[in-house]
């Protein structure tokens, strides 16, 4: 099988599986739906691993292949093609492997859901969309994949469409992402304006032409064209990767089924913005202003969103705010030109965050879809596999030495410390303090869910819809289709960072895809201090981030294992701060007041004045009333007497003769 055929099959197999599961659901049945999608995504995963193997061991170089020319307009080519370099192959493996685990897990989680086949069709369609995004060799296909993952995300967040909260959440996600995508589209338009091309190779090869070029948005105020392009593109990334202030959709997206939280909102879709900025590094390196903007947005998101996670009680929302915080870390890395560190953290984060979301789903199954941690506790003895894998995922998340998250997060912190970009000192202390916050809310989740005494009661006669804190039977470990994916995700969560940090971060693995200006190459400088993963892990024991992580663990242990009353005491003593965090800095309230209500008022005003008043009232109904009144007046002239009509005819004839005489 040729390489081109292989590359076509990688995204095509999940698409065909989605079509079969969705359109032929009656013919294939429930079992057929999950088998066809698992086989399709599994085959795609195997082929992706084969491509990665070819690049790692067989010397396969960068492949830039055009599959189909859709249209040529004014010299601009619109085409479908694949750019497969080391960055692409890494993303392909991450997307397909995590997606495969989620597909298997879904068999157990969605077993009793009436939308079983539709769900499998959607998640396979998402996998196709994400692969088209990461494999694109041009901006048009990138935008297609970008919008496709947004569409499928909308469908999946609102999968339980009979819930008003789910419909509100998917509409919110759709609208917020449209704001970001508008900026993204403007960025692509600016690329076409500057280069007259949509092809990556052409644009990146001529990126140097942007130096010194200015662009006037407001007359008399010139901007660097490179800065305009990069900021517009990053606004798209802010929406897709949920960076403040366009982050508000992601926590609400937890209304979708838990497998979606793992697949879309932790491991793949939300990392699309991180991948895009890394792919566009030849452009971003031309604008220090754009990179500073990226860095500051990232550090605010990393610290501020982590703080919100401290006061959340919904187990999935805690992990959702953790995702926001970790995406902030990746964004900070992009802002200091440590693109490879951002991609490295993207990869490790995909595994341990998918593990944590699926572990939360296992807990939710055991507790009959209870998500409030205030009604959990003591699950360790009932769910040993879920408990152990949750601990492993948490240790990776907090950056415990030698776990995968340690290598990637510590690399970002050190890269920020070495950066001389304006504002990097603020960014450094932000990401360092984020370690303390991450550790605290992560161990808080473990203690509330798995340790201590149970905060629920068991009542077999409670009925089908028992109140919060009441279960019909004792919780028990989830079936193998749930626990096996947890185990398989726990393995890379523990070891993948140790074995890949040297080639990915310091071995030049991503150098064929990422361009960094020599004066900005903090990763290269960091590499001069790298003496292997073992030395890095042991050296961490004397660093500030490690002891802040330990401090977060100690505080969480003291409060939630031994003195739970301290949490209520702190909330009582710091009511303003607690209220601020509980209300998520009032972002939602501000958007509701400033945009949503104003838009509704504007819509109602236009409807009443323009539609009902002017169009219906004056143009449509008004013209009808005019003709009716005119007809009524004319009707009064119709007496029905013959001599009246004869007299009118004579008057008319006299009038016509008079006009003829006058004119002649």
């Amino acid at each position: 099988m040729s390489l081109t055929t292989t590359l076509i099959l990688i995204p095509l197999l999940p698409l065909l599986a989605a079509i079969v599961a969705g359109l032929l659901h009656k013919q294939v049945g429930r079992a057929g739906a999950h088998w066809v999608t698992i086989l399709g995504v599994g085959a795609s995963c195997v082929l992706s691993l084969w491509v990665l193997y070819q690049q790692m061991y067989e010397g396969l170089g960068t492949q830039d292949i055009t599959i189909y020319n859709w249209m040529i307009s004014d010299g601009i080519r619109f085409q479908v093609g694949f750019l497969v370099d080391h960055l692409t192959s890494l993303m392909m493996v991450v997307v397909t492997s995590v997606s495969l685990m989620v597909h298997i897990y879904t068999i157990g989680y969605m077993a009793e859901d009436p939308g079983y086949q539709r769900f499998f069709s959607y998640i396979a369609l998402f996998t196709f969309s994400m692969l088209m995004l990461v494999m694109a060799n041009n901006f048009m296909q990138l935008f297609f994949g970008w919008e496709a993952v947004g569409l499928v995300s909308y469908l999946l967040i609102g999968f339980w469409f009979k819930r008003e909260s789910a419909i509100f959440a998917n509409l919110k996600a759709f609208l917020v992402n449209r704001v970001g995508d508008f900026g993204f589209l403007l960025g692509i338009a600016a690329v076409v304006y500057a280069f007259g091309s949509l092809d990556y190779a052409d644009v990146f090869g001529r990126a140097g032409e942007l130096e010194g070029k200015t662009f006037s948005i407001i007359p008399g105020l010139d901007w660097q064209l490179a800065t305009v392009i990069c900021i517009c593109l990053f606004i798209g990334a802010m929406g897709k990767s949920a960076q403040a202030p366009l982050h508000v959709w992601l926590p609400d997206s937890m209304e979708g089924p838990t497998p979606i939280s793992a697949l879309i909102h932790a491991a793949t879709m939300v990392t699309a913005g991180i991948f895009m900025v890394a792919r566009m590094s030849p452009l971003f390196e031309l604008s220090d202003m754009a990179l500073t903007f990226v860095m500051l947005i990232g550090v605010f998101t990393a610290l501020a969103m982590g703080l919100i996670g401290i006061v959340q009680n919904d187990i999935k929302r805690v992990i959702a705010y953790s995702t926001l915080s970790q995406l902030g870390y990746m964004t900070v890395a992009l802002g200091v030109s440590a693109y490879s560190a951002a991609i490295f953290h993207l990869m490790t984060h995909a595994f341990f965050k998918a593990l944590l979301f699926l572990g939360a789903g296992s807990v939710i199954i055991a507790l009959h879809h209870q998500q409030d941690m205030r009604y959990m506790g003591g699950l360790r003895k009932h769910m040993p596999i879920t408990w152990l894998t949750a601990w492993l995922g948490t240790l990776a998340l907090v950056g415990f030495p030698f776990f995968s998250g340690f290598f990637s997060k510590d690399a970002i912190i050190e890269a920020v410390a070495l950066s001389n970009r304006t504002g990097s000192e603020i960014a450094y202390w932000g990401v360092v303090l984020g370690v303390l916050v991450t550790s605290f809310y992560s161990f808080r989740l473990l203690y509330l869910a798995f340790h201590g005494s149970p905060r629920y009661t068991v009542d077999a006669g409670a009925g089908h819809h028992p109140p919060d804190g009441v279960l019909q039977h004792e919780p028990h470990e989830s079936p193998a289709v749930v626990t096996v994916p947890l185990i398989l995700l726990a393995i890379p969560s523990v070891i993948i960072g140790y074995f890949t940090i040297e080639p990915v971060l310091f071995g030049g693995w991503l150098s064929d895809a990422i361009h960094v200006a020599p004066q900005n190459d903090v990763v290269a400088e960091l590499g001069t201090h790298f003496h292997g993963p073992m030395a890095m892990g042991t050296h961490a024991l004397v660093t500030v981030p490690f002891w802040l992580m330990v401090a977060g663990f100690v505080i969480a242990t003291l409060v939630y294992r031994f003195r739970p009353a301290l949490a209520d005491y702190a909330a009582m003593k710091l009511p303003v701060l607690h209220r601020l965090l509980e209300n998520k800095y009032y972002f939602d309230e501000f958007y509701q007041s400033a945009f949503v209500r104003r838009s509704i008022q504007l819509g109602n005003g236009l409807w009443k004045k323009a539609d009902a008043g002017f169009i219906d009232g004056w143009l449509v109904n008004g013209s009808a009333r005019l003709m009716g009144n005119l007809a009524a007046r004319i009707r009064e002239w119709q007496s029905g007497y013959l001599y009246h009509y004869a007299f009118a005819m004579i008057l008319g004839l006299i009038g016509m003769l008079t006009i003829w005489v006058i004119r002649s």
Side-chain angles (χ1 to χ4, degrees):
M1 185 166 57
S2 69
L3 179 63
T4 301
T5 303
T6 300
L7 296 179
I8 293 173
L9 286 175
I10 288 173
L12 190 61
L13 289 172
L15 174 62
L16 293 175
I19 292 172
V20 171
L23 299 183
L24 303 178
H25 60 279
K26 292 183 180 179
Q27 288 82 355
V28 300
R30 288 170 67 90
H34 70 238
W35 276 115
V36 71
T37 52
I38 289 173
L39 290 174
V41 174
S44 180
C45 182
V46 171
L47 294 175
S48 298
L49 287 167
W50 181 81
V51 172
L52 182 65
Y53 174 83
Q54 291 294 310
Q55 290 193 328
M56 289 180 67
Y57 300 108
E58 301 297 330
L60 179 66
T62 298
Q63 304 295 310
D64 192 348
I65 303 170
T66 298
I67 304 298
Y68 174 68
N69 278 309
W70 175 47
M71 181 175 65
I72 301 176
S73 175
D74 198 22
I76 301 174
R77 293 179 178 271
F78 298 82
Q79 58 192 23
V80 178
F82 300 134
L83 173 62
V84 181
D85 51 21
H86 291 164
L87 175 61
T88 305
S89 59
L90 180 67
M91 290 297 297
M92 287 159 52
V93 171
V94 170
V95 170
T96 54
S97 58
V98 173
S99 178
L100 179 60
M101 294 300 101
V102 171
H103 275 71
I104 297 171
Y105 175 94
T106 300
I107 297 175
Y109 191 88
M110 301 292 287
E112 299 178 3
D113 198 284
Y116 188 82
Q117 293 152 285
R118 177 166 57 94
F119 189 84
F120 274 99
S121 176
Y122 285 172
I123 56 177
L125 183 62
F126 170 80
T127 307
F128 157 75
S129 303
M130 192 68 193
L131 286 170
M132 290 295 287
L133 187 157
V134 301
M135 296 174 69
N137 71 346
N138 62 85
F139 284 89
M140 187 207 76
Q141 186 175 325
L142 172 70
F143 189 70
F144 164 78
W146 194 269
E147 293 302 307
V149 293
L151 171 63
V152 182
S153 174
Y154 169 81
L155 296 173
L156 286 166
I157 295 170
F159 182 79
W160 288 319
F161 53 84
K162 293 184 179 180
R163 294 183 183 177
E164 289 189 13
S165 57
I167 297 302
F168 177 83
N170 75 346
L171 183 60
K172 184 177 183 180
F174 184 82
L175 292 175
V176 172
N177 273 277
R178 295 295 68 74
V179 175
D181 292 353
F182 180 67
F184 188 56
L185 194 56
L186 288 177
I188 294 175
V191 168
V192 175
Y193 167 80
F195 299 102
S197 175
L198 289 168
D199 186 71
Y200 286 169
D202 189 20
V203 171
F204 297 158
R206 296 165 51 199
E209 297 176 9
L210 289 178
E211 290 194 54
K213 283 190 176 182
T214 59
F215 182 76
S216 179
I217 301 175
I218 301 172
L221 182 61
D222 292 338
W223 284 66
Q224 293 291 325
L225 183 55
T227 299
V228 173
I229 291 174
C230 293
I231 288 180
C232 286
L233 292 174
F234 180 66
I235 289 172
M238 288 170 64
K240 199 67 70 185
S241 291
Q243 296 297 287
L246 300 182
H247 66 283
V248 292
W249 66 271
L250 191 141
D252 287 352
S253 70
M254 298 301 109
E255 289 293 334
T258 299
I260 299 315
S261 304
L263 178 62
I264 296 182
H265 308 118
T268 49
M269 184 187 114
V270 291
T271 60
I274 308 300
F275 163 80
M276 184 272 291
V277 174
R279 173 65 79 197
M280 303 299 156
S281 59
L283 301 178
F284 276 84
E285 284 299 290
L286 299 173
S287 174
D288 285 340
M289 182 182 293
L291 287 172
T292 300
F293 178 70
V294 171
M295 179 187 68
L296 294 177
I297 290 292
V299 70
F300 175 79
T301 305
L303 184 57
M305 299 304 115
L307 287 170
I308 297 177
I310 292 174
V311 300
Q312 294 295 307
N313 293 313
D314 186 309
I315 188 171
K316 286 173 63 176
R317 285 182 180 264
V318 174
I319 305 174
Y321 280 104
S322 170
T323 299
L324 286 170
S325 181
Q326 298 308 304
L327 289 168
Y329 273 87
M330 299 175 210
T331 304
V332 171
L334 296 172
V336 298
S337 298
Y339 305 99
S340 55
I343 295 299
F344 184 44
H345 194 48
L346 183 158
M347 177 190 68
T348 61
H349 175 266
F351 293 109
F352 63 72
K353 189 51 64 69
L355 170 61
L356 289 171
F357 265 118
L358 296 186
S362 180
V363 170
I364 292 168
I365 293 172
L367 298 180
H368 310 295
H369 296 277
Q370 174 61 259
Q371 297 181 196
D372 194 326
M373 295 186 297
R374 291 172 295 186
Y375 301 108
M376 298 182 185
L379 294 177
R380 179 182 62 174
K381 61 182 179 180
H382 300 291
M383 310 179 70
I385 298 176
T386 301
W387 167 74
L388 177 60
T389 54
W391 264 92
L392 295 176
T394 298
L395 291 174
L397 170 61
V398 301
F400 193 83
F402 300 105
F403 282 72
S404 61
F406 157 75
F407 292 105
S408 55
K409 185 188 288 187
D410 202 64
I412 291 175
I413 295 172
E414 293 302 320
V416 176
L418 293 172
S419 175
N420 57 6
R421 194 170 307 287
T422 303
S424 59
E425 298 88 354
I426 297 173
Y428 173 75
W429 287 109
V431 294
V432 166
L433 290 174
V435 174
L436 172 66
V437 175
T438 301
S439 178
F440 180 76
Y441 68 65
S442 299
F443 289 110
R444 170 181 179 263
L445 184 152
L446 285 178
Y447 288 133
L448 288 177
F450 295 100
H451 295 269
S453 302
R455 292 180 297 280
Y456 56 82
T457 57
V458 179
D459 182 2
H464 293 294
H465 300 286
D468 287 337
V470 179
L471 303 179
Q472 291 179 285
H473 52 74
E474 287 284 352
H476 55 82
E477 187 60 273
S478 300
V481 289
V482 172
T483 56
V484 169
L486 294 180
I487 295 169
L488 294 178
L489 286 169
I491 294 171
S493 297
V494 175
I495 66 173
I496 198 169
Y498 184 93
F499 291 105
T500 59
I501 182 172
E502 191 160 2
V504 173
L505 209 53
F506 305 116
W509 171 256
L510 298 174
S511 60
D512 63 337
I514 291 173
H515 169 75
V516 184
Q519 68 273 18
N520 294 335
D521 201 348
V522 292
V523 173
E525 186 178 351
L526 186 61
T528 61
H529 306 288
F530 180 74
H531 303 291
M534 181 62 70
M536 184 176 177
T538 53
H539 173 70
L541 301 178
V542 295
T543 61
V544 172
F546 171 77
W547 288 106
L548 285 175
M549 182 270 294
V550 172
F553 166 74
V554 171
I555 297 171
T557 303
L558 174 64
V559 174
Y560 294 101
R561 192 70 182 90
F562 299 108
R563 299 287 182 86
L566 285 176
D568 296 329
Y569 179 77
M572 182 181 66
K573 287 296 183 181
L574 301 169
V576 176
L577 178 61
H578 185 266
R579 193 159 50 247
L580 183 67
L581 295 178
E582 204 169 42
N583 288 282
K584 301 161 285 188
Y585 309 114
Y586 296 96
F587 273 105
D588 287 320
E589 288 78 4
F590 172 74
Y591 290 153
Q592 285 286 338
S593 175
F595 299 108
V596 177
R597 293 195 187 101
R598 297 292 180 270
S599 297
I600 292 173
Q601 289 171 0
L602 177 62
N604 287 335
L606 290 174
W607 166 66
K608 290 179 180 178
K609 302 295 183 182
D611 191 6
F614 179 71
I615 296 175
D616 288 345
W618 285 91
L619 294 183
V620 178
N621 297 330
S623 59
R625 283 194 300 270
L626 176 63
M627 295 307 297
N629 293 334
L630 181 61
R633 297 293 180 269
I634 295 175
R635 194 160 53 241
E636 292 176 357
W637 301 347
Q638 309 300 316
S639 66
Y641 294 109
L642 183 60
Y643 64 88
H644 284 169
Y645 299 141
F647 180 67
M649 291 171 64
I650 292 170
L651 289 178
L653 182 59
I654 292 172
M656 291 176 62
L657 289 173
T658 302
I659 293 172
W660 178 75
V661 169
I662 292 172
R663 293 191 63 181
S664 62

